[in-house]
Amino acid sequence: MLDDTQQNELSQARALKAGGSVHDSDFECFRNMTCEEPTIIDVGANRDQSIVSFQAIFPQAIVDSFEANPFFLPVLQDVGKWYEEVTIHTYGLGFTEDTLEFYVPVVDGRAYLEEGSTRRDSFEFDWVKERLASYGTTLEFDIFPVEI
């Protein structure tokens, strides 16, 4: 069962799909490719935007999407069912098979799911600290295991 946030994300994906458009203007560059049936490896599938965008550009593409963050998986799995050649892999990619801790920053009680990482030290960069500080004052982390 999808929660309200996930229902909203699924609605946005449906609207994007219905419009045949891409979620980010950077994806327009893929329209210059001459291959009509590419195999696309979508690493860090996130909230499904890339799947819908790639399918808008390449309806015959084979897309393998990888996402370890379990918060994104219910919507990804629903969106994956819309397309015959899309496979959702519910784990991250890495050099070795492992279970790692996944860190999601929570600022003033709001989780920033798209900012998650398996590397705690990635939150120590000044530019990351500044971005997270722009969201609010109290930074904490939700930590949970993910398969790699």
Side-chain angles (χ1 to χ4, degrees), residues 56-74:
I57 298 168
F58 305 110
Q60 304 304 314
I62 295 171
V63 179
D64 281 286
S65 290
F66 297 83
E67 180 56 59
N69 188 334
F71 292 107
F72 294 138
L73 298 179

Side-chain angles (χ1 to χ4, degrees), residues 3 5-6 9 46-47 67-74 102-107 110-117 123 132 135 142 144:
D3 65 22
T5 300
Q6 293 166 327
E9 290 172 1
N46 201 278
R47 288 188 153 98
E67 180 56 59
N69 188 334
F71 292 107
F72 294 138
L73 298 179
F102 194 78
Y103 301 88
V104 173
V106 179
V107 180
R110 179 176 177 208
Y112 287 86
L113 299 173
E114 58 283 326
E115 305 274 351
S117 176
F123 298 100
L132 292 173
Y135 300 156
D142 282 343
F144 49 88

Side-chain angles (χ1 to χ4, degrees), residues 84-103:
E84 187 175 322
E85 297 296 334
V86 170
T87 303
I88 307 299
H89 303 275
T90 60
Y91 52 88
L93 296 179
F95 184 68
T96 59
E97 283 188 40
D98 203 351
T99 299
L100 300 177
E101 288 186 327
F102 194 78
Y103 301 88

Side-chain angles (χ1 to χ4, degrees), residues 22-46:
V22 297
H23 75 285
D24 185 316
S25 61
D26 288 347
F27 271 64
E28 293 296 340
C29 72
F30 291 111
R31 294 191 192 277
N32 296 322
M33 293 180 61
T34 57
C35 180
E36 294 179 15
E37 298 180 21
T39 297
I40 298 168
I41 308 299
D42 179 19
V43 179
N46 201 278

